[in-house]
Each structure stands twice: as structure tokens, then as C-alpha cells.
Amino acid sequence: MVSRSYSNLLDLASGDAPSFGRERKRLPRVATVAGILTDLDDENSVGSDAPSSFSQDRMIIVGNQLPLRAHRNPDGSGGWCFSWDEDSLLLQLKDGLGEDVEVIYVGSLKEEIAPSEQDDVAQTLLETFKCVPAFIPPDLFTKFYHGFCKQHLWPLFHYMLPLSPDLGGRFDRSLWQAYVSVNKIFADKVMEVISPDDDYVWVHDYHLMVLPTFLRKRFNRVKLGFFLHSPFPSSEIYRTLPVRDELLRALLNSDLIGFHTFDYARHFLSCCSRMLGLSYQSKRGYIGLGYYGRTVNIKILPVGIHIGQLQSVLNLPETESKVAELHDRFRGQTVMLGVDDMDIFKGISLKLLAMEQLLTQHPNKRGEVVLVQIANPARGRGRNVQEVQSETKAAVRRINETFGSPGYTPVVLIDSPLQFYERIAYYTIAECCLVTAVRDGMNLIPYEYIICRQGNEKLDETLGLNPSAPRKSMLVVSEFIGCSPSLSGAIRVNPWNIDAVAEAMNSALIVPEPEKQMRHEKHHRYVSTHDVAYWAHSFLQDLERACRDHVRRRCWGIGFGLGFRVIALDPNFRKLSVEHIVSAYKRTKHRAILLDYDGTMILPSSISRTPNMEAVGVLNSLCTDPKNVVFLVSGKDRETLAEWFSSCEKLGIAAEHGYFVRC
């Protein structure tokens, strides 16, 4: 087997143009069906074929679920009633995009919609909420979400390897196929509303990691950003994933990839370097990853919270009443608060062990300190969740039986759903917030706690506080969560070190009041200025900057399936025409032909490194033409090259990268 470069030489020696350059069928530039790729010979392809119909900026936000709540109409008509989900991050980030940016949401619904109702629901959501629902069959959704997302990606991204069938489960190819199929459904929905020359697309989280490939395949210049809300593991963990390359290449079809922390971004760049051989550059505060002529920008910015929503809940009469109730209930006691999902990565059991250690080592804290643990329902399901629930309840029961007394319950476990205002009330009365997750993408609980501790006039009156007095708060946070680097005034702990966590809890209780106030002021200043609107606005700014040179780039799409990528070239680039080269070859009287050896004379993947007789014959044919001066340039030593090409008397050889020359 010979390389394509070698085939070109063979044709040149005979004076004929290669057959693959003749009568080539021209393909449509935009892929509209599977398997049809960009035409590599279309030098005039500079944009998408779809016409632009919008003049103002428009952002298409794509997430696993739409920011909507749905329920059946109470009038018994059987129809659906929809409303905004104010707790959804996708809805909250809209505040940072500006009033002149139109926002369209693409995602699935939590509720299952019957096929007969889907058209009416889709029309209603588009007209009323500017939402495009992706209706996923229940069986496919189960494989996609509870299968690949929750059994493979989510545990792996939280550093849990499938060492046994009980730990996440073995890789299942059918679940991966379901994941790809759902991402394809999302891509089809985006295509229904996108104006590719004008719109920006912002894809969220690990559920849709291959979506950028489907969108980039359809429109080479789509303005595409992706933000990962979970951790990204180190390369030693990530490399165990059988579809590791497919996911990396899919993400690299984005223009901007966002991460919460520098560590997550560093792990991603390390994976790209070690598995794909890519390098990155940091220039003027921006990190860029070179990928086939495109620059994939990396953004590091932790997400914030929606402060306006929290403050509106703080002002509710229900919140004031709940705060008064809790203030009376825990009068004379110091409340430490934990708010976590009931899953294996939140470290609830470790927190309880630390509380047990605190009461054991500091008997004076008994009767004074109460840990209120709010356990939200787990987002996943399976035996792991059941084990966490049973372990948590057993630990709570043991601690309360050991250290409890009449009128004193050391640990209050709340595992039933709470209204948002109730959770806000617990934040308000807690002296310290504990987050001991062993691994978490961001975790906004400390941010919410800081804002709630700032309070308002009505709550100050309820709690008997001086409205002009400085506020105070304390945080004990795991060093393995995304918000930890942003909270410089928090007490950071290794949640696996039970003794250290117990001592941190004790330190948080005995810190002098002025220091608590100083820490709170520092945290409040950061949280209030780096809210969700700031995060969204910053991401959009960087996405605009990353897509600024799309118009001037010449783009070609190559590759099949998830291996698709876009080659971006400078506008001055011109593709060499084989016909033009052959014509020029025939016209000229003096020709200098410089040839490389590896990759030109033989294939890079060839086991045998010696030239075959056919290659030597081609070189002799070129050398016997008196118009030609042929030189072979190689890094190999002169003895080897002289032996291999001893029969080519007129061949010039530059061995060892030109250090030795034979004319």
C-alpha cells in the first residue's frame, strides 16, 4: 500500500492527472442528512446556507429540562397548565443577557406528554414562553438519563470508577447509543428555530455533551458555547471512559467551553493534551485550545445565585412567621445547618460523624449546639441512594440516643420536601453552615446562606437584632466543592478527616464576633457582585469575542459521525488544484522536487520502513527527466538512505535534516 502523496508522484511521473481529481461529484456544503458532509472543493463556502431572518441578538439556551412547571388543569378539562420555574438556573441567567437579547429555550419536560397532545403543547410553549420542547420516548429517556448520565457520566465525573457492578455499573453500549440519540433529538429541535448567522447557542451540562457536534455538522459557523456544571475529573479518571475521545471531540466543536474552577479546566486541557495531542496557549488572560485551525476558548467562572429571588422570598410574610417559629423552637441553642441532596457524594454521613465527634470531645457543647440537616430528595435512584438514606438515619438515631436529653435533640433530620421559604428561614437562624461534600461541581448553598444572613428589617425585628448592627455568619466548606476557592473567609476542611471537621465546627462556634462579622462582610461583598446575572453576562461577552472572526474564516467540515470537525483557514488560503499543478509541471523547463520520506514515500502507519521497488521506480522516473532536480529530505542517517536509494544515481539526498547532503 502506498500513500496518497506517493500516488500523486506516480501520476506526475507519467504526466497524467490522478483519477480522483476528475469528474468529482460535488456535494452540498451543508449536511442535511446523515453521511453527507461539507464539500471540500467549495472554495466559496463562507457561511451557512440558511438565510438570516433576525437582526437583533438572539440566544438559544439548551438544557436537559425546560425552566417550566407543568400540571393538569384543575378544571378537569384534561389540558396542561404551564408556569415558569423560578428556581431554574436557565431562567435566572436571562437577567444577565440584556433586554435587547431574545431568549429561546430548548429542553425536555419533567412530565410525560401523550403523543396526541405534543403538537398542541409545543405550539403553546413556543407562543407563550418561547420554549421548544424535546419530547423523548419514556424508554429512551430512562436509558439516557437514569442510564448513561446517572450510571456512567455522573459517577465518573465525581471520581467514582466502576470497579464493580455495584459502583456505577459496567459500560453499556446501548446506553451510550441512547445518549447520542437524545442529543440528536435536541439538535433537531434547535434546528427548528435557529438562524445560524445571527443566533448564539448556549448548551448546558453533561447531559448534552455531544450536541455541539450535531450542530456544528449542520452549520459550520454556528456560534456555540457550552458550560459544564459538574466537575471534570483528572485525566487518570476520565481516560477509563470507553467513549472518552468522542466526548472530547464533541466538546471541541464548541467555540467557548466554560468551567466553574481552574482545576476543572486544567483537567479538561490535560485530557485534550494526553488523549488527542492538542496544546493550548494562555494569552492576555484568555486560554485558547487549537483544534484544526479553530481556537476553542476556555472560560473559568463560577456561577452565582439570583439575589433578587432570595430577597423577595425573605420579604414574604410566610418567611417571617417561619423564622419566628424556629427562633422560639431553638431559643438558647446554637444552630448549625446542613443542606444537601441525599446522595453518596454530599458527605452527609461524614458530617454526622463529625458532629458525633464534636459532642464527644467537647461535652460543654451538649445541650447547646444543634445540627439541623435538611436532606433534599436524591436526583438519581438505585441502591446507593437507599444505602445513604439508611446510613444517615442510623447515624442520627445513634447520636440522639447517646447525647440527647429531655428538650434537647442534637441532630434534627428533615428528609421531607420543604417549601423554599422554609429553607430560607433555616438559613436565617443558623449561626454556621456546613458543606462537607466529597465532590461537587459548584454547590450554591453557602451563597444562599450568606444572603439570607444579611436579613432585612422585618426579620431583624423578629430576631431581636439591631438593624444597624453588622451581620455575621460562619462557613465550614469542603475543599472538594467548586465554590470553595471563591469563599476565602470560610473554614476549609477535608471531609474525610473527621477529627479536622469536628475541630472546624468547634472553631466556627468560638470565633470572636468581630471576626464573624468581617468574614460575613467579605463573603457578602463577593456573592452580591458575582451573581447569576454577572456570570451569564460575562459568558455571553466571551462567546461574542470567541465568534468574532467567524465571518472571515474559510471553513470545511470533514469526518463522519462523532468524529466530525471543522477545518478553519485564513481567508487568503487557497486549496491547491491538482489539475493546475499538472499543467504547470508540463509547461515548465526546470523543476525542483523536494520530497519527505516518512508519510510521503510510505504511510506513517506502515510496519516496514524500507522503500518498496515501486517507490524506487517512481523516483528513478522523475530523476531521468533532465528538467527535474529531485531531492529526498529526511531525518534518517546518511548510511541508511544511501543504502536504500543506491540505485537512484541522480537522486539528491539531504540526510539527518540536511546536515549531510548528496548531490
Side-chain angles (χ1 to χ4, degrees), residues 446 474-477 483-484 486-493 519 522-523:
M474 285 299 299
L475 286 170
V476 176
V477 300
C483 68
S484 176
S486 305
L487 300 170
S488 57
I491 301 177
R492 295 192 183 93
V493 295
R519 291 173 185 251
K522 186 176 185 179
H523 289 157

Side-chain angles (χ1 to χ4, degrees), residues 314-317 319-325 327-328 331 428-429 452-469 471:
L314 282 170
N315 292 327
L316 292 176
T319 305
E320 184 180 351
S321 300
K322 187 65 178 180
V323 169
E325 174 192 333
H327 183 61
D328 290 338
R331 190 178 298 276
T428 304
I429 60 105
C452 293
R453 287 292 289 178
Q454 190 69 13
N456 57 39
E457 292 184 3
K458 291 184 179 180
L459 295 180
D460 290 343
E461 183 179 348
T462 302
L463 296 172
L465 300 176
N466 182 0
S468 61
R471 299 296 184 263

Side-chain angles (χ1 to χ4, degrees), residues 328-390:
D328 290 338
R329 176 181 174 183
F330 296 107
R331 190 178 298 276
Q333 297 176 337
T334 301
V335 176
M336 307 185 78
L337 178 66
V339 181
D340 305 278
D341 293 343
M342 186 69 83
D343 68 51
I344 58 177
F345 296 114
K346 300 303 182 182
I348 297 178
S349 60
L350 298 176
K351 187 187 305 179
L352 294 174
L353 291 175
M355 179 64 179
E356 186 175 29
Q357 186 84 330
L358 173 69
L359 297 177
T360 300
Q361 295 182 347
H362 303 276
N364 60 315
K365 296 294 189 291
R366 302 173 190 175
E368 296 181 359
V369 178
V370 175
L371 172 62
V372 176
Q373 177 62 55
I374 299 175
N376 302 318
R379 301 180 186 180
R381 61 189 185 188
R383 196 170 71 180
N384 288 333
V385 175
Q386 297 174 357
E387 291 177 351
V388 171
Q389 290 174 338
S390 60

Side-chain angles (χ1 to χ4, degrees), residues 408-428:
Y408 173 62
T409 304
V411 179
V412 178
L413 176 64
I414 304 174
D415 56 359
S416 57
L418 289 179
Q419 296 290 331
F420 189 40
Y421 77 87
E422 294 179 295
R423 195 173 84 198
I424 295 297
Y426 278 103
Y427 284 142
T428 304

Side-chain angles (χ1 to χ4, degrees), residues 232 235 238-239 243-253 257 268-279 289-292 296 562-565:
F232 196 93
S235 59
Y238 180 80
R239 71 193 303 176
V243 290
R244 61 190 189 184
D245 289 356
E246 290 88 336
L247 290 179
L248 287 179
R249 293 190 184 279
L251 287 179
L252 290 173
N253 277 317
I257 306 175
F268 174 76
L269 294 171
S270 176
C271 288
C272 291
S273 173
R274 296 183 178 185
M275 296 167 207
L276 303 181
L278 303 178
S279 59
L289 192 64
Y291 188 60
Y292 288 95
V296 181
L562 295 179
F564 177 86
R565 63 270 190 200

Side-chain angles (χ1 to χ4, degrees), residues 41 148 170 190 225 438 604:
D41 287 340
F148 192 78
R170 305 300 189 194
V190 173
V438 296

